Amino acid sequence: MTKGICRVGWSITHQEFTVTDYYYFSVLQKKAPEFGVEIDEVSEWEKLSSYDTVVFNYPEIPFTEEEVKFIQDLVENKGKKVILLGYYKNEDRIADTCNTLARAFGMELNGDEVTDKVNNHKGDPYFVVTTKIRRYKDGVEKVLLPCTASIKPLMPDIKVVVRGEDTSLSNQGNYTLLIAEHFAPKSGGYFCLAGTCVFWDNYSIELYDNLKFSMNLLYHKTNLLL
């Protein structure tokens, strides 16, 4: 089986961090084509449906009921992958904003902060490092998830993508589920929620196995070339 090109629509429709911001995401943009991933910045909502994967990276504008239905249709009926990424401590009310969409897929972003005093990067407990990677782990052994919140599953079928090590702690006592997703079996679509949006910024993406994990996460094709 040969993988085709995966087209990623990086939304700026909800005041997200822009992927064309050179200071933060130039490595992600530069490396993506090497993995068969093409990333376009998308400002028009209706155009998101033309992409294999849609990314909402730290959206600051809540999603309307109509927008939620649009995204549900992309995942449940059209087989798309949608990735929604937040941040810790509900900064800028990011958890509240993310949850206007995430709840429709059976999960919530908590307004907490997850730290790890044992498994971390350079002694900083906010720079959580973990080997507990359940999905998208081809070529991946360890990832860095800085400044992350945890995720609360609302439905029993939510899949664990990444969780913290047993040494990780939430300041609200939550289970340290850091990236989770919902799978739509009828269409082959996915909705993925991440507790942090900075594991693929220029600082983190070349540490540990973050680059490979990021590309594994982004890549999605409903019709792979045989």
Side-chain angles (χ1 to χ4, degrees), residues 35-83:
F35 294 84
V37 176
E38 294 180 352
I39 304 175
D40 294 334
E41 200 164 84
V42 182
S43 59
E44 298 179 44
W45 179 259
E46 295 76 14
K47 290 186 177 180
L48 293 173
S49 62
S50 66
Y51 291 88
D52 304 303
T53 299
V54 176
V55 175
F56 298 103
N57 197 69
Y58 200 94
E60 296 193 58
I61 299 173
F63 295 85
T64 67
E65 184 177 342
E66 292 74 18
E67 289 171 336
V68 171
K69 290 178 180 177
F70 177 88
I71 296 300
Q72 285 180 303
D73 182 60
L74 291 187
V75 173
E76 304 291 348
N77 300 316
K78 294 185 170 61
K80 307 292 185 175
K81 175 182 243 181
V82 174
I83 305 171

Side-chain angles (χ1 to χ4, degrees), residues 144-162:
L144 165 65
L145 299 176
C147 302
T148 185
S150 66
I151 294 164
K152 177 182 178 181
L154 303 177
M155 299 293 288
D157 61 345
I158 298 304
K159 299 182 181 298
V160 175
V161 177
V162 179

Side-chain angles (χ1 to χ4, degrees), residues 115-119 129 164-169 176:
T115 55
D116 195 322
K117 293 183 178 180
V118 177
N119 294 283
V129 173
E165 299 282 352
D166 293 341
T167 49
S168 63
L169 295 171
T176 56

Side-chain angles (χ1 to χ4, degrees), residues 177-188:
L177 173 57
L178 307 181
I179 304 179
E181 70 182 2
H182 159 83
F183 172 59
K186 184 178 78 170
S187 68

